[in-house]
Amino acid sequence: MIDLLAQFNKAFESKARLNIMSVLMVNDSMSFNALKELLGLTDGNLATHLRALEESGYVTVSKQFVGRKPNTTYAATDTGRQAFQDHLNALEAFIKNL
């Protein structure tokens, strides 16, 4: 059982990061504001978790202007998609072995 626990990805231990990646897995990209509204997170909390996922190479950030307003969007990278799927597989294996 300890071997199964070792397969969990620490980047996804936070509920917020798990939620962010879940949303990005089923959407090509999401804006910061859409993620914030959907997940019910504060600006600072969401930004901190997105930065951690970006530093891990799991999400990419794209900044542009729409009209005169800045628009920041996030997308899961291939590496992030694989890491998240591996994490889900480890969770499923853990649950099945309980």
Side-chain angles (χ1 to χ4, degrees):
M1 178 126 31
I2 297 211
D3 291 340
L4 292 173
L5 290 173
Q7 294 177 19
F8 288 1
N9 188 324
K10 291 197 177 284
F12 306 125
E13 286 182 353
S14 160
K15 179 183 174 190
R17 292 183 198 164
L18 193 65
N19 289 342
I20 291 165
M21 285 303 294
S22 295
V23 170
L24 294 179
M25 290 290 285
V26 297
N27 293 281
D28 290 334
S29 66
M30 290 285 286
S31 73
F32 182 88
N33 288 332
L35 281 169
K36 182 175 80 167
E37 184 177 328
L38 180 66
L39 301 176
L41 299 172
T42 64
D43 286 357
N45 196 1
L46 179 57
T48 299
H49 289 295
L50 285 167
R51 189 174 317 113
L53 290 169
E54 183 184 7
E55 289 172 357
S56 296
Y58 296 159
V59 299
T60 59
V61 60
S62 174
K63 295 183 182 228
Q64 59 187 11
F65 280 90
V66 176
R68 293 182 158 216
K69 291 187 174 189
N71 184 32
T72 304
T73 56
Y74 295 86
T77 64
D78 290 339
T79 301
R81 288 181 179 281
Q82 186 60 56
F84 190 69
Q85 189 59 57
D86 292 344
H87 181 72
L88 293 180
N89 291 341
L91 284 171
E92 184 176 5
F94 179 76
I95 291 168
K96 285 181 178 179
N97 284 299
L98 283 180

